[in-house]
Amino acid sequence: MAATQSVRIGTSGYSFKDWVGPFYPAGTRPAAQLEYYTRHFDCLELNVTYYRIPDAKLIAGIEQRTPAGFAFVVKLHSDITHKLSRDAALDAAFHAAVQPLRDAGKMHGLLAQFPYGFRNTQENRAFVAELRERFAADALFVEFRRDEWAAPPVFTFLRRLRLGWVCVDEPALPGLVPPVALATTDVAYVRLHGRNKATWYSGGQAGADRYDYSYTEPELRQWAEKTRQLAGEARQTFVFFNNCHGGQAPANAETFQALLATDW
């Protein structure tokens, strides 16, 4: 059980209107949501940076509403991961935006989530290697969506570059990454997206329907066991729930906390 004490559990984002009622008490204002969130979880995957580069003041305001010891992992902007931008000005703006988290000691890494169309090619591997240099100051976790990346040579490649493999749980559809649980750095990283086969593609890349899924307790137990394994191998393990539709992510995350603390 000692190893599980190094596990941090949270959600991918926190500011959702449809969490009011299922998770946030009725009437909770958006400005009060983060404070409530921190009473339940000690880490957060910050996704606003995926859609736009915010002003550093906004990020500083978010940081200031979290307690000491709280951990953030910040998602890289979509132009970097989906358009493969090498724009130095974009990188500089991103670095400036998240600097308040570094200054507060709450920056625990960056998440690079690549789309399904990002193939395991020599050119794309070179791009991933460049990211390690471009964001050398931070831990960097890489999520792939195509199963051809889930291969031993890729794991060796990631270990050599000190890049974290993102373990994923998603629908068992042809071509998607299987639930391979391993760590390529001293920090393990898990993202649970739900298993909604019916709307994974019809819901669109950013469609809420894709992530409309509530894990059953037996399904969560599967990942509790995998997480125990990861915690025994890594210094730190992050588990983030991305099935954000209708407050299902925090509900599942709280159940997962309880399961992980239970020795069965």
Side-chain angles (χ1 to χ4, degrees), residues 46-260:
L46 195 61
N47 290 339
V48 62
T49 49
Y50 175 80
Y51 301 101
R52 63 184 178 90
I53 304 296
D55 188 280
K57 291 182 179 179
L58 185 147
I59 300 297
I62 291 174
E63 182 278 315
Q64 291 163 9
R65 297 201 300 278
T66 62
F70 193 84
F72 289 92
V73 178
V74 183
K75 199 170 183 181
L76 288 181
H77 193 274
S78 60
D79 281 359
I80 297 173
T81 55
H82 287 57
K83 297 182 180 179
L84 307 187
S85 170
R86 291 178 168 87
D87 184 355
L90 177 63
D91 289 3
F94 186 95
H95 281 298
V98 301
Q99 190 59 42
L101 300 181
R102 296 194 186 100
D103 293 342
K106 296 179 180 179
M107 169 70 92
H108 283 245
L110 302 173
L111 170 66
Q113 178 205 302
F114 290 98
Y116 183 74
F118 190 74
R119 304 295 300 263
N120 181 7
T121 65
Q122 182 176 350
E123 181 180 5
N124 286 341
R125 290 192 299 274
F127 183 83
V128 171
E130 287 178 23
L131 283 186
R132 175 68 288 171
E133 297 178 7
R134 290 162 57 182
F135 298 93
D138 300 295
L140 182 59
F141 306 100
V142 184
E143 178 182 348
F144 302 107
R145 286 286 171 94
R146 190 179 284 268
D147 62 356
E148 62 196 40
W149 289 95
V154 173
F155 305 145
T156 300
F157 164 75
L158 295 176
R159 290 187 178 102
R160 177 170 57 83
L161 293 175
R162 297 177 295 105
L163 292 166
W165 165 263
V166 175
C167 315
V168 295
D169 187 86
E170 53 197 18
L173 291 169
L176 293 185
V177 175
V180 177
L182 60 83
T184 53
T185 69
D186 65 347
V187 179
Y189 203 99
V190 179
R191 300 187 86 213
L192 295 101
H193 299 294
R195 302 178 181 180
N196 196 335
K197 290 184 179 181
T199 62
W200 186 259
Y201 292 113
S202 64
Q205 179 64 28
D209 289 347
R210 166 177 286 190
Y211 304 108
D212 183 4
Y213 188 86
S214 181
Y215 284 95
T216 66
E217 185 171 312
E219 291 170 340
L220 292 176
R221 285 183 181 274
Q222 294 170 5
W223 273 101
E225 198 57 42
K226 291 176 185 287
T227 300
R228 287 174 183 272
Q229 169 201 326
L230 291 169
E233 301 170 359
R235 171 181 59 82
Q236 178 77 68
T237 302
F238 286 102
V239 180
F240 289 108
F241 284 81
N242 190 39
N243 54 329
C244 293
H245 186 92
Q248 292 167 134
N252 284 164
E254 290 189 312
T255 300
F256 194 76
Q257 287 175 329
L259 288 175
L260 203 63

